[in-house]
Amino acid sequence: MSRLADLGARLQSGETSINVVGNRKRFFIASLVLVVISIGGLAIRGLDEGVEFKGGAVFDTKAQGISVADVRGAVEGAGAKEPKVQKLGSDRVRVETGALQPGQATAIREALSKKIGIPVEEITQQVVGPSWGSDISHKAAKSLIIFLALLAIYLAIVFEWKLAVGALVALVHDVAITTGIYAVVGFTVSPATVIGLLTILGYSLYDTVVVYDKLKENTTNLTNSNRYTYTGAANLAINQTLVRSINTSLIALLPVAGLLFVGAGLLGAGVLKDLALVLFVGMAVGAYSSIFIATPLVVAMKEREPEMKALAKRVAQRQAAGKDVRPAQAAEDDGVPAGAGAPARPTAPPGERVQPKRSAPRSTRRPPPPK
């Protein structure tokens, strides 16, 4: 832990620099591959919608000493086509079917009662129409559009529109990869999945805004200093918040992993599994995009501005004249060649002041020797 703290201190001061922005093309290509795979999964396999979205019936009952195949055989024998049978823990079973004909639900309950050996009254039944899930989907889509519009306006006011574009692209990236994983792996999408998907948007945005806030601090009056390019200041902002992002992401993922692997894996909680799964995948992808996608994308747009191109030219000239006071490795990582023979005086990142050393108090100075 102390090593992580030391690394955080070195990243904060600029003594150590991880070249995230300089390697942005690699991260963009990796994300593009994942997004293409996700879109391909959505187009080819589609999402496995739960019974809440396409309509059907759900049966829940105690079932000890009976296999999933036996339960499925009993339900199919009652007329249900392709039922989904899921064990919940060690003593319960959940059966999902498609839309049923009148009287078919009663036949399935009686078949389960006979097969499992329990009274029909102990088998719970829930019939869901397709309109319920459709309403939920439409409301979720409408909420998402309103949320993204307000988000873009807010970020454009607080920061600037290019940072808003970077944040929105990162959010779309997170949603695309998370839903794509559901399509490729074949996880069932339930209302809890939709709720979790909306939740991870807020989490991903929170991490992105933390980096943006540091970026704004580092780039204030940047063109007046001629010490950092926009790329260098942005990379420094990422490094200064990197350890914090890692810590918050791990702390957020650990309880979600507990819900997913302990609650769902051992206890077999169906709704809990749906919620924990989308949160776990979405938080991991959101943490990645806030560091490796949002800010590097902003840098790619900002470095096209004539003002930033002129700044990069002045910084390069300063480096060539041997006036770079940063460590050589940090300067090279930031995409700026370090000048030979650079003076080794201390410096501070943008936004921080180097306090001059005070001279000793007069009372402690030695008197001059007698003449």
Side-chain angles (χ1 to χ4, degrees):
M1 188 61 70
S2 61
R3 290 183 177 180
L4 187 61
D6 292 342
L7 175 62
R10 293 198 301 272
L11 292 173
Q12 177 72 26
S13 65
E15 180 183 352
T16 298
S17 177
I18 300 174
N19 192 10
V20 175
V21 178
N23 292 309
R24 59 180 180 269
K25 289 184 179 178
R26 297 179 181 177
F27 300 121
F28 290 166
I29 292 174
S31 292
L32 182 62
V33 170
L34 290 176
V35 170
V36 169
I37 293 175
S38 300
I39 294 175
L42 290 169
I44 297 173
R45 300 191 59 174
L47 291 174
D48 182 15
E49 296 179 341
V51 67
E52 296 86 355
F53 292 97
K54 58 186 180 184
V58 179
F59 302 90
D60 192 336
T61 179
K62 290 183 178 179
Q64 290 183 329
I66 188 169
S67 66
V68 170
D70 290 339
V71 174
R72 181 179 291 109
V75 176
E76 288 178 342
K81 295 180 180 178
E82 299 181 354
K84 293 181 181 178
V85 182
Q86 182 183 13
K87 294 279 282 186
L88 303 180
S90 59
D91 60 347
R92 298 197 70 83
V93 66
R94 186 173 188 264
V95 180
E96 288 186 13
T97 68
L100 301 176
Q101 299 295 327
Q104 208 170 13
T106 303
I108 292 175
R109 291 179 66 190
E110 291 175 350
L112 287 174
S113 172
K114 184 178 179 180
K115 190 69 178 181
I116 299 173
I118 60 173
V120 176
E121 293 75 14
E122 295 186 9
I123 301 175
T124 61
Q125 168 192 331
Q126 182 183 7
V127 179
V128 182
S131 59
W132 188 87
S134 178
D135 291 341
I136 292 294
S137 300
H138 290 157
K139 290 178 181 177
K142 188 183 298 183
S143 303
L144 181 61
I145 292 173
I146 296 174
F147 166 75
L148 292 178
L150 294 177
L151 171 66
I153 295 172
Y154 175 77
L155 290 179
I157 294 174
V158 175
F159 299 102
E160 61 174 288
W161 70 268
K162 289 181 180 177
L163 275 73
V165 171
L168 291 178
V169 171
L171 289 182
V172 173
H173 164 276
D174 299 343
V175 174
I177 292 180
T178 304
T179 54
I181 289 176
Y182 267 73
V184 172
V185 180
F187 294 144
T188 301
V189 177
S190 67
T193 306
V194 177
I195 295 171
L197 199 62
L198 296 177
T199 304
I200 63 173
L201 295 181
Y203 177 83
S204 174
L205 181 64
Y206 171 77
D207 238 14
T208 301
V209 168
V210 169
V211 182
Y212 277 5
D213 192 56
K214 198 65 181 177
L215 176 63
K216 181 180 179 181
E217 178 183 333
N218 287 358
T219 55
T220 301
N221 298 324
L222 182 67
T223 54
N224 297 332
S225 66
N226 295 337
R227 291 179 53 233
Y228 280 85
T229 63
Y230 195 91
T231 298
N235 196 67
L236 181 61
I238 293 176
N239 278 268
Q240 288 172 326
T241 56
L242 184 61
V243 172
R244 179 192 179 284
S245 297
I246 293 174
N247 287 335
T248 54
S249 299
L250 288 177
I251 290 172
L253 283 173
L254 283 177
V256 176
L259 287 176
L260 179 61
F261 297 113
V262 178
L266 299 180
L267 303 179
V271 176
L272 197 62
K273 181 195 69 176
D274 295 339
L275 184 60
L277 186 60
V278 69
L279 287 178
F280 187 82
V281 175
M283 283 183 175
V285 176
Y288 166 81
S289 68
S290 64
I291 298 171
F292 300 103
I293 299 299
T295 303
L297 185 61
V298 171
V299 172
M301 292 187 287
K302 292 289 292 185
E303 288 291 4
R304 295 176 181 273
E305 297 179 357
E307 189 180 16
M308 294 305 162
K309 287 182 179 178
L311 173 63
K313 189 176 180 180
R314 293 198 301 273
V315 173
Q317 292 172 347
R318 181 185 174 89
Q319 302 299 321
K323 295 181 180 179
D324 185 19
V325 295
R326 290 173 294 158
Q329 185 59 47
E332 291 175 1
D333 288 345
D334 292 344
V336 178
R345 60 185 173 86
T347 184
E352 296 183 12
R353 298 181 57 189
V354 177
Q355 298 295 332
K357 293 183 178 179
R358 296 182 177 177
S359 58
R362 294 180 180 274
S363 59
T364 60
R365 293 181 180 176
R366 293 183 178 179
K371 296 181 180 179

